[in-house]
């Protein structure tokens, strides 16, 4: 069955296809049960952890940080029961996107959606990244700062 969905003004990213959609409009959709309509507002950080059978089965390793159409700046703190908090933030200035992540229990993956990057650096060192420059993975135990150069 077709449904009409209204997205408020701003940029939105389809969670499933990762396509950027401009808000301020109605969309006509025919969703399926396995892909219900879901959008993430541009500028948000979505933290994800590993699949678990029960709460606190294992630490957030890997911690996946999905940044959706990053713009301006945004920050959040990941709280995980009896474990230390993990502050996460980014600031975008033109083609420079700086992402800061506090100490995490293991590997951290940073994935950008709605933008592409030509490079990713940690200090003076280039980081290995995906072909579109939008995905890096590194050890988060000491925290880090990554600077992406956007295309």
């Amino acid at each position: 069955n077709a449904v009409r969905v209204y997205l408020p003004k701003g940029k939105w990213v389809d969670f499933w296809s990762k396509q950027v959609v401009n808000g301020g409009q109605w969309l006509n959709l025919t969703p399926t049960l396995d892909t219900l309509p879901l959008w993430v507002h541009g500028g948000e950080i979505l933290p994800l952890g590993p699949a678990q059978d029960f709460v606190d089965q294992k630490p957030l390793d890997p911690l996946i940080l999905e940044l959706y159409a990053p713009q301006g700046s945004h920050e959040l703190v990941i709280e995980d029961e009896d474990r230390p908090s993990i502050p996460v933030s980014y600031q975008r200035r033109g083609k420079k996107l700086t992402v800061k992540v506090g100490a995490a229990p293991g590997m951290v993956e940073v994935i950008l959606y709605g933008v592409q990057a030509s490079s990713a650096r940690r200090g003076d060192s280039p980081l290995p990244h995906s072909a579109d420059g939008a995905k890096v993975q590194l050890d988060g135990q000491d925290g880090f700062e990554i600077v992406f150069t956007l295309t």
Side-chain angles (χ1 to χ4, degrees):
N1 292 344
V3 295
R4 283 177 48 94
V5 175
Y6 182 77
L7 292 179
K9 289 187 182 205
K11 288 192 182 283
W12 295 85
V13 181
D14 182 308
F15 181 80
W16 307 110
S17 70
K18 306 306 183 195
Q19 291 182 319
V20 178
V21 177
N22 288 319
Q25 66 173 324
W26 285 93
L27 302 176
N28 294 313
L29 306 171
T30 307
T32 61
L33 288 177
D34 59 342
T35 56
L36 294 173
L38 178 61
W39 284 271
V40 181
H41 191 260
E44 292 298 323
I45 302 169
L46 183 61
L48 303 170
Q52 299 185 50
D53 295 324
F54 53 88
V55 173
D56 284 341
Q57 178 183 12
K58 51 187 162 184
L60 291 173
D61 184 8
L63 170 61
I64 300 168
L65 300 170
E66 297 184 344
L67 281 66
Y68 287 82
Q71 51 201 337
S73 63
H74 192 68
E75 60 185 49
L76 61 86
V77 177
I78 300 168
E79 303 284 349
D80 189 21
E81 290 292 319
D82 297 327
R83 296 185 175 98
S85 300
I86 305 169
V88 178
S89 65
Y90 75 76
Q91 180 157 21
R92 180 176 176 179
R93 288 195 172 127
K95 294 187 181 246
K96 181 179 171 184
L97 175 65
T98 303
V99 178
K100 295 180 183 179
V101 179
M107 295 302 289
V108 176
E109 216 172 87
V110 178
I111 306 171
L112 309 178
Y113 293 113
V115 295
Q116 291 186 333
S118 58
S119 68
R121 301 183 76 75
R122 182 177 186 182
D124 292 332
S125 304
L127 292 171
H129 51 76
S130 60
D132 62 2
K135 179 178 177 182
V136 297
Q137 184 175 34
L138 57 152
D139 187 328
Q141 294 196 26
D142 295 326
F144 57 81
E145 179 176 304
I146 300 172
V147 178
F148 291 94
T149 301
L150 305 178
T151 56

